[in-house]
Amino acid sequence: MSRPRIICHMHTLLNGKIDGIANPTSVGMRSQKLYFDLFLGENRFFTKHRGWISGSGTSRAILGGAPQIELSEPTEPVPAGDFIADPDAQMHYFAVDRSGTLAWDRSTFSYFDADVHIVELIPASVSDAFKAHLRSVGVSYLIAGDEQLDMAEAVRKIGDIFDTDEVILGGGATLNWSMIRDGLCDEISLVLMPTADGENSTSSLFEADERYSAPVPIRFSLKSVEPLEDGSVWLRYDVQGPVAEDEAPSPASV
């Protein structure tokens, strides 16, 4: 099954964290703007994509203090299949929602100077009440999988429906790792900020969650290293896949 090329484009602190107290500082914001410019800026490096995929934690952060919405059963049957609310949107935020819990109160949001349309990635098992709510607020959705969200099917649909052969993967930590473990990530693009904060309770670039993916050594091949104007470093790696058993150290040698 063909799918778009998927590039995990992230920014981290020197201590490997993707969030925390250093991000909103002036140093952190300058680095994040350089990260943004590479995939959404006017003269961006990644030019083929139509948006980026993020997990439910990132989406809840975007929702912020939005109140919980009590969903009512629809008065009319919800049409089967996918729903594209804004076929003319140029850039999209693909929100991974495995159980239909992201009750958006808007169909777009702004990130730096980019306006993006929200597209939910959901399994068919989410309730009609949830689908009807997304329709009512103008949020698009793609259905992938029956009881469980099928990310391979989701990214294939993104490629077909939005006519793109490149998709950006933008976190969080669990989604990044599960996509790599499932062979659904081709490249790592990492902007390493010239900051650290020492926090041990925030998320790292990759984190395994046993519900979706287990820890395993993954090999990467360095493509390029480029210093950026603020002291950040832009690293690019191709994803090679799991380290072969004969490459891993034996317990006696560790």
Side-chain angles (χ1 to χ4, degrees):
M1 179 171 60
S2 62
R3 62 164 176 82
R5 178 174 175 81
I6 299 177
I7 301 162
C8 181
H9 181 59
M10 297 290 295
H11 58 91
T12 73
L13 283 66
L14 289 177
N15 50 315
K17 301 295 186 175
I18 60 177
D19 51 23
I21 57 177
N23 275 353
T25 66
S26 59
V27 176
M29 291 303 293
R30 282 196 300 271
S31 186
Q32 288 179 70
K33 182 59 165 62
L34 294 172
Y35 154 84
F36 165 88
D37 286 343
L38 287 169
F39 82 112
L40 287 174
E42 184 176 347
N43 299 308
R44 61 184 183 263
F45 179 83
F46 298 110
T47 59
K48 298 179 181 180
H49 69 90
R50 297 287 303 280
W52 75 102
I53 304 172
S54 283
S56 57
T58 303
S59 296
R60 290 190 183 95
I62 293 169
L63 278 166
Q68 290 289 329
I69 299 172
E70 187 171 334
L71 303 179
S72 57
E73 289 299 318
T75 57
E76 298 180 359
V78 175
D82 306 319
F83 172 64
I84 307 300
D86 185 0
D88 297 323
Q90 296 302 302
M91 199 59 65
H92 306 84
Y93 174 82
F94 300 104
V96 172
D97 191 354
R98 299 178 186 277
S99 54
T101 58
L102 296 173
W104 296 93
D105 58 355
R106 73 208 78 164
S107 62
T108 63
F109 66 90
S110 296
Y111 177 44
F112 285 98
D113 53 355
D115 295 322
V116 297
H117 175 65
I118 299 166
V119 181
E120 281 262 298
L121 306 178
I122 57 175
S125 58
V126 303
S127 69
D128 280 354
F130 182 73
K131 295 171 189 172
H133 170 74
L134 295 181
R135 286 171 172 265
S136 72
V137 294
V139 170
S140 300
Y141 59 79
L142 303 181
I143 297 174
D146 296 324
E147 294 300 318
Q148 304 294 326
L149 181 63
D150 183 338
M151 284 303 301
E153 174 68 3
V155 295
R156 186 197 63 78
K157 277 194 167 186
I158 290 172
D160 288 348
I161 292 173
F162 297 98
D163 190 26
T164 181
D165 56 9
E166 181 178 279
V167 178
I168 301 297
L169 170 61
T174 300
L175 178 62
N176 288 347
W177 186 247
S178 64
M179 293 281 279
I180 288 175
R181 286 285 280 114
D182 289 344
L184 296 175
C185 183
D186 304 289
E187 178 180 336
I188 306 299
S189 169
L190 175 63
V191 174
L192 190 61
M193 297 187 278
T195 52
D197 59 16
E199 287 193 287
N200 58 13
S201 59
T202 50
S203 297
S204 302
L205 177 60
F206 304 122
E207 294 182 3
D209 184 324
E210 295 290 350
R211 292 174 297 175
Y212 312 119
S213 58
V216 68
I218 298 286
R219 179 191 292 278
F220 302 90
S221 175
L222 183 65
K223 294 181 68 171
S224 64
V225 180
E226 182 178 332
L228 302 180
E229 61 190 54
D230 70 329
S232 295
V233 177
W234 179 27
L235 306 171
R236 294 177 65 203
Y237 292 87
D238 282 329
V239 181
Q240 298 294 299
V243 174
E245 288 187 12
D246 58 0
E247 296 180 85
S250 64
S253 64
V254 176

